[in-house]
Amino acid sequence: MWFAVHAKDHPDSLAKRMAARPEHLARLQALQAEGRLLLAGPFPAIASEDPGPAGFTGSLIVAEFASQADAEAWAAADPYVATGVYAHVEVKPFRKTLP
């Protein structure tokens, strides 16, 4: 089943985000290679593709996992959690309808 991982960043965590980004992206690329990633990306703090020093407010990842527990365990192991980028992570089942 698909699960949505919605994470909110700590304020002023841009430097931590950028430092942990390669490891974070590697985990997403592994899901993509397995055909289990629907989408992933950050929420810019301002309406811009490159928000610069304004940074980001969080992330959204939609990926396939065998269970809620598996999705939560995967999300909890994210480098952004370990390095203090994410202040809060919520995992919810997701049903893709369109397209």
Side-chain angles (χ1 to χ4, degrees):
M1 174 165 208
W2 295 111
F3 289 88
V5 178
H6 179 232
K8 294 183 180 180
D9 287 11
H10 282 285
D12 301 316
S13 60
L14 182 59
K16 290 179 182 179
R17 176 183 271 272
M18 299 314 293
R21 189 170 188 262
E23 190 179 352
H24 171 78
L25 288 179
R27 296 178 81 237
L28 294 171
Q29 290 163 342
L31 285 177
Q32 185 177 26
E34 296 168 4
R36 297 172 44 209
L37 183 66
L38 184 62
L39 63 90
F43 296 113
I46 59 173
S48 174
E49 280 290 316
D50 180 3
F56 301 91
T57 62
S59 302
L60 175 65
I61 300 162
V62 180
E64 188 175 34
F65 295 94
S67 69
Q68 176 92 26
D70 288 346
E72 290 173 354
W74 184 89
D78 195 285
Y80 284 177
V81 172
T83 60
V85 174
Y86 289 161
H88 177 75
V89 178
E90 184 176 22
V91 178
K92 292 185 174 185
F94 180 81
R95 190 181 77 183
K96 183 179 183 286
T97 303
L98 293 172

